[in-house]
Every structure is written in structure tokens, then in C-alpha cells.
């Protein structure tokens, strides 16, 4: 007698028993570790956000566009928390939310970085005689840029959900002893369109930051953004082959690791140096120090 696809033969091969179900659970050591790291990093974002709000009038915070910094910190916090949607038994609603929220929140983070870098370039070039860039100084251009970039990702996500959305699926063929529960992307092309869109934003941000890297160190963070984009792109370039070659809970863990490591790279490269100056080098967090550097 042939067992059903949800069963396997027992050791005596005289009856059918249920196959083991495999998915990344909070009770697993790997799932618990990733969820713990996600919560710790999100708390760290909240702490840094509180620091920036407390020291919002200091030169190091004001010089790096405090409003965009706060938006970037909030989006990074949501990036860390969005990884929790990937842990647990896959359901239809979770499969839809995890990819859409992940894509939109990451796009807001990258567009905030791009806006911060463009603001620095415009601010320095606007001081040149006869420059027409003075009218673009302010937060309005940054807000428009973030909205436009986020709208592009939203449109891709809407097309994805309307045509072939993600859904929960059980893989009964890969292993005779296990049933792998996972989220099928639905349209693999649109899934990698979202990844590609974020990669394009990251590459554009890297190029713009590289062009601004020679501006005074204490006034802008172009060098930090350049390095953070290198970390970001390195993580997601290695993600694609690792993701395609993984099965079951390992496949989900690879995506969570990519989300956490790339977000942590942005957090560490951009905000940790600012916190270092605020607490350990307060003599550099003065207007006179910035003027001397300029």
C-alpha cells in the first residue's frame, strides 16, 4: 500500500505515520535566536532615536538632517521587526504581508539615505556664486524624493498582489521524511523585481555618496553612507544564490539573515559614529569644531 503524500512508512514498513512538518518556528533554536536579535536591534534603533531627539540641537545632529535621520531610524526599526513575520507557521496573510512590508520599508530606508546625500551635495553647491540650487535647500525636496521612490516599490507590490500574490505552500517532494511549509513567492519575476528595485536604489545611493565623499567629514556622512551601501549590496548579492539553494526553514533563515545584517550595516555605519562623537568626543560636537573643519 502506498502512503499518502502527507505520510511515510514506519520503521517496520507495515503502516503509515504522519511526516514531520518543518518550518522556522519560534520554538526552534534558530528561530528563537533570529527573533531575539531582531528585537535587540529594534530596541537599539529606539534608543538611538531617543538620543537624537535629546541632542537634536547639537551641531552633529543638525548638520546631518535630523528629520531624515529620525525617519531612517524608524524605517530601520520596522525593517528589524518585519523579520518577525517570517518566523512561525506560514499563513496566507503572513506570506503577503512579509514581502510587501519588507519591500516598502526597505525602500523608505534607502530613499532616506539617498535624500540625505543629495541634501548634502545641494547644500555645498548652493554656496557657489550664481548657483540656482538655493531654492532646493530644505526638506521639501527630500520628502518628494522619498514619496516618489516609495511609490515605485508600492506599484510593483500592487501589481504583484493583483496578478500572482505569495501564498502558503507545502513541499512534499524534497524530502521523504519531512513536509516543508513555506511561502511561495507566486511570481518569482516580481519578487526579484522588488529586490532589483532596492538594489538599484542602493547603487544610486552609493554613486551619489561616493561623489560627495570629499566633503568635510564632520559635516556630512557621505563616507559612512558609501561604506554602508557596500555592506548592503554585498549582503544582497550573496543572498540570491544562498536563497535559491536552500530548502525549508533554512531558506527563510537566509532571508531573515539578509534583512538583519543589511539593516544592521546601515545602523552601524551611519549612526554609531554619531553616537561616538556625542558621548565620547563632545569637543567635536560644537559649532566651532565644524567651522574649523570647513
Amino acid at each position: 500500500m502506498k502512503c499518502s503524500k502527507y505520510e511515510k512508512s514506519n520503521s517496520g514498513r507495515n503502516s503509515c505515520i504522519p511526516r514531520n512538518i518543518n518550518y522556522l518556528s519560534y520554538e526552534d533554536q534558530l528561530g528563537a535566536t533570529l527573533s531575539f536579535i531582531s528585537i535587540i536591534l529594534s530596541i537599539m534603533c529606539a534608543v538611538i532615536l531617543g538620543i537624537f531627539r535629546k541632542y537634536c540641537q547639537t551641531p552633529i545632529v543638525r548638520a546631518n538632517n535630523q528629520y531624515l535621520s529620525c525617519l531612517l531610524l524608524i524605517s530601520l526599526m520596522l525593517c528589524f521587526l518585519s523579520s518577525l513575520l517570517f518566523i512561525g507557521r506560514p499563513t496566507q496573510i503572513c506570506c503577503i504581508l512579509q514581502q510587501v512590508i519588507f519591500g516598502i520599508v526597505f525602500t523608505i530606508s534607502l530613499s532616506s539615505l539617498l535624500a540625505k546625500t543629495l541634501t548634502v551635495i545641494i547644500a555645498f553647491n548652493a554656496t557657489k556664486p550664481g548657483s540656482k540650487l538655493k531654492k532646493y535647500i530644505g526638506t521639501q525636496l527630500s520628502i518628494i524624493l522619498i514619496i516618489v521612490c516609495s511609490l515605485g516599490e508600492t506599484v510593483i507590490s500592487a501589481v504583484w498582489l493583483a496578478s500572482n500574490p505569495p501564498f502558503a505552500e507545502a513541499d512534499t517532494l524534497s524530502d521523504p521524511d519531512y513536509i516543508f511549509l513555506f511561502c511561495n513567492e507566486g511570481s518569482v519575476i516580481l519578487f526579484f523585481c522588488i529586490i532589483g528595485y532596492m538594489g538599484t536604489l542602493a547603487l544610486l545611493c552609493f554613486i551619489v555618496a561616493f561623489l560627495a565623499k570629499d566633503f568635510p567629514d564632520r559635516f556630512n556622512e557621505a563616507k559612512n553612507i558609501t561604506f554602508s551601501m557596500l555592506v548592503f549590496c554585498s549582503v544582497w548579492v550573496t543572498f540570491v544564490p544562498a536563497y535559491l539553494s536552500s530548502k525549508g526553514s533554512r531558506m527563510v533563515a537566509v532571508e531573515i539573515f539578509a534583512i538583519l545584517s543589511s539593516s544592521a550595516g546601515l545602523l552601524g555605519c551611519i549612526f554609531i559614529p554619531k553616537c561616538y562623537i556625542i558621548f565620547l568626543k563632545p569637543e567635536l560636537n560644537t559649532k566651532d569644531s565644524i567651522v574649523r573643519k570647513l
Side-chain angles (χ1 to χ4, degrees):
M1 183 182 71
K2 183 177 177 62
C3 294
S4 69
K5 62 179 182 180
Y6 299 109
E7 296 177 322
K8 64 178 180 178
S9 299
N10 64 354
S11 58
R13 305 189 66 84
N14 53 18
S15 65
C16 296
I17 59 175
R19 292 166 65 178
N20 297 318
I21 296 177
N22 178 273
Y23 61 91
L24 188 62
S25 170
Y26 287 104
E27 298 176 357
D28 296 337
Q29 185 176 0
L30 180 59
T33 302
L34 290 174
S35 59
F36 176 76
I37 294 174
S38 173
I39 293 173
I40 291 297
L41 290 174
S42 62
I43 293 175
M44 188 180 298
C45 282
V47 171
I48 295 176
L49 180 61
I51 293 172
F52 268 59
R53 294 300 299 167
K54 181 178 180 180
Y55 295 91
C56 62
Q57 297 302 320
T58 59
I60 196 67
V61 176
R62 297 183 62 185
N64 289 284
N65 201 322
Q66 56 179 314
Y67 298 108
L68 286 179
S69 296
C70 290
L71 177 60
L72 178 57
L73 281 169
I74 293 173
S75 61
L76 285 176
M77 189 190 310
L78 293 177
C79 285
F80 291 128
L81 293 177
S82 69
S83 63
L84 297 177
L85 291 171
F86 293 81
I87 305 175
R89 192 183 184 96
T91 62
Q92 182 69 26
I93 187 64
C94 282
C95 290
I96 292 175
L97 287 178
Q98 63 184 213
Q99 301 295 350
V100 172
I101 293 177
F102 148 71
I104 293 176
V105 171
F106 249 92
T107 301
I108 294 175
S109 301
L110 292 172
S111 56
S112 298
L113 283 176
L114 182 60
K116 284 167 72 71
T117 313
L118 286 177
T119 300
V120 171
I121 292 178
I122 291 173
F124 274 90
N125 286 287
T127 59
K128 296 179 180 179
S131 176
K132 298 181 181 180
L133 296 176
K134 293 181 180 180
K135 59 182 179 180
Y136 297 109
I137 296 179
T139 59
Q140 185 175 4
L141 178 62
S142 301
I143 293 174
I144 294 174
L145 179 62
I146 293 172
I147 292 175
V148 170
C149 293
S150 302
L151 187 62
E153 187 79 353
T154 304
V155 169
I156 297 175
S157 299
V159 172
W160 186 12
L161 296 181
S163 59
N164 194 0
F167 58 91
E169 187 178 11
D171 179 10
T172 60
L173 301 177
S174 298
D175 192 301
D177 295 325
Y178 289 93
I179 298 175
F180 295 109
L181 300 183
F182 67 101
C183 288
N184 190 314
E185 290 84 9
S187 174
V188 179
I189 295 176
L190 289 174
F191 170 70
F192 283 104
C193 281
I194 284 184
I195 302 296
Y197 186 87
M198 291 190 298
T200 302
L201 277 180
L203 182 61
L204 182 61
C205 189
F206 169 77
I207 294 173
V208 174
F210 183 79
L211 295 175
K213 66 181 175 58
D214 293 327
F215 291 154
D217 292 344
R218 296 172 199 163
F219 195 82
N220 84 95
E221 47 196 353
K223 290 182 179 179
N224 296 337
I225 294 177
T226 303
F227 187 73
S228 67
M229 287 299 100
L230 283 175
V231 175
F232 184 91
C233 293
S234 300
V235 169
W236 286 102
V237 166
T238 56
F239 159 77
V240 176
Y243 182 80
L244 295 177
S245 61
S246 303
K247 294 290 183 181
S249 60
R250 302 298 177 184
M251 181 174 64
V252 181
V254 166
E255 188 167 0
I256 295 175
F257 178 78
I259 293 173
L260 294 179
S261 56
S262 57
S263 301
L266 298 182
L267 181 67
C269 293
I270 296 172
F271 293 104
I272 297 301
K274 303 297 180 294
C275 294
Y276 173 78
I277 291 177
I278 290 174
F279 291 109
L280 300 180
K281 294 289 184 178
E283 66 275 10
L284 301 180
N285 192 12
T286 62
K287 185 176 180 180
D288 293 338
S289 176
I290 291 179
V291 169
R292 285 197 301 270
K293 182 66 179 177
L294 289 173

